[in-house]
Amino acid sequence: MMTLYAHVAPLTDVFGRHLRSLRVSVTDRCNLRCRYCMPEEKYIWLPREELLTFGEIRELVSAFTALGVDNVRLTGGEPLLRRDLSELVRLICENPQIQDLALTTNGVYLAEHAQALRDAGLHRITMSLDTLRADRFRALTGRDAHAQVLGGLEAAHRAGFRGTKIDSVIVRGVNDDELADLLEFGKQQGAEVRFIEYMDVGGATEWSMDKVFSRAEILELLSRRYGKIVPVVGESSAPAERFLLPDGTVFGIIASTTTPFCRRCDRSRLTADGMWYLCLYAQQGTDLRQPLRAGASRDQLTSAIASAWQRRNDRGAEERKVQRFRGVFVGIEQLRQDPHLEMHTRGG
Ligand code: SF4
């Protein structure tokens, strides 16, 4: 039986972009209701029997790593809602092709799981934190859990995690007055802060362009406070552009809305029920659960993945940017018909 490994020539799409990063959503559920992601009263959830087991996720991850993927990020929804997540971490870490295994979490349950995740081999954590004010956190997320999130960050440090990142979605009129406070907080915590522009992806049913606090505005506001800001040079496929403050602090901006980076995008997304999407904005995906459960071999899976990637010409954020009239990307009725269009299903 022929099996491909990471040292084979990298798999490239129509624009020459390599397949390197895989985001694996382990659940579509979330315990917060952030206004920029899940502002609705009710959601249609994926049927539980359709969710991939940990063994199935391991098998699909192995098919991807056989094609050159070497970094995996566990996402959701909120991934720590999936029971025994550290067991999945342990299974994925057994794969010698994995160079980097990271977790994106809202931090609410991190304190109770940080040590087990570290012991299982998780490399890095990215925590979402949009405000340092408990009252604002409650207004933004609908939950009173700010102290738990801060406790989660401390617990991650105690458990031995380093290089933690704090992701802050900045929405005009909501938290754009906290940029410097978030940066100072990141410095104290030894965490790199990344400011994210509000994106018009599926699920962002309250999005409008005037609420986007742009990369340019972020840089301008921070330069007024800190002085000259310079870009950190170096080619990277990471979504964040990194910048340096005069005091040596590094921070990032993920400017998908005003400054898309599709040309260097090496990411794709696997949902908790085994649908594979080649772009955050893609309307259709490839069902990998069905062939997996029907007994497809590793080679059959890798050839299905390879042929889809070689045909990939997605550049969703760039296409959105040039639209003359830009409103909500997917309407509520369409989201109800296909929850795979939601960002919380696809993994942000
Ligand atoms: S919009 Fe699509 S192609 Fe562009 S960076 Fe995001 S996932 Fe990649």
Side-chain angles (χ1 to χ4, degrees), residues 44-168:
I44 312 286
W45 306 111
L46 301 176
R48 285 187 188 275
E49 65 279 8
E50 292 182 4
L51 301 191
L52 299 175
T53 65
F54 286 171
E56 288 172 330
I57 294 175
R58 172 174 61 177
E59 182 54 31
L60 288 180
V61 167
S62 297
F64 281 97
T65 59
L67 290 165
V69 164
D70 60 7
N71 69 80
V72 170
R73 177 172 292 277
L74 301 176
T75 69
E78 167 48 38
L80 292 176
L81 291 181
R82 184 83 185 243
R83 193 173 302 193
D84 298 326
L85 188 70
S86 54
E87 176 58 15
L88 177 63
V89 168
R90 193 185 61 71
L91 289 175
I92 294 176
C93 283
E94 286 172 359
N95 182 329
Q97 311 294 323
I98 298 287
Q99 301 294 312
D100 186 34
L101 178 61
L103 170 78
T104 296
T105 174
N106 62 32
V108 175
Y109 294 129
L110 186 54
E112 56 203 86
H113 296 290
Q115 193 63 58
L117 291 165
R118 181 76 187 160
D119 294 345
L122 185 71
H123 300 145
R124 293 187 301 118
I125 290 177
T126 298
M127 223 181 73
S128 305
L129 179 65
D130 305 316
T131 176
L132 297 174
R133 290 171 41 176
D135 58 334
R136 192 173 272 180
F137 181 94
R138 187 189 189 133
L140 187 60
T141 68
R143 303 288 186 273
D144 201 2
H146 194 248
Q148 281 166 262
V149 174
L150 299 187
L153 192 58
E154 284 169 22
H157 196 265
R158 272 199 310 278
F161 286 104
R162 298 294 180 266
T164 297
K165 294 196 168 67
I166 295 175
D167 278 0
S168 306

Side-chain angles (χ1 to χ4, degrees), residues 14-16 22 30 36 51 55 62 108 184 217 242 278 280 313 319:
V14 168
F15 298 126
L22 181 68
C30 191
Y36 53 79
L51 301 191
S62 297
V108 175
E184 293 300 321
E217 290 171 293
R242 297 172 84 225
L278 302 179
L280 204 44
N313 61 1
E319 287 168 356

Side-chain angles (χ1 to χ4, degrees), residues 82 324 327 332:
R82 184 83 185 243
R324 205 144 158 228
I332 186 66

Side-chain angles (χ1 to χ4, degrees), residues 17 261-262 265 267 269 279-281 312 314-317:
R17 298 170 296 187
F261 37 83
C262 302
C265 176
R267 285 173 297 287
R269 295 171 162 82
C279 179
L280 204 44
Y281 288 90
R312 176 190 193 237
D314 301 73
R315 43 187 203 88

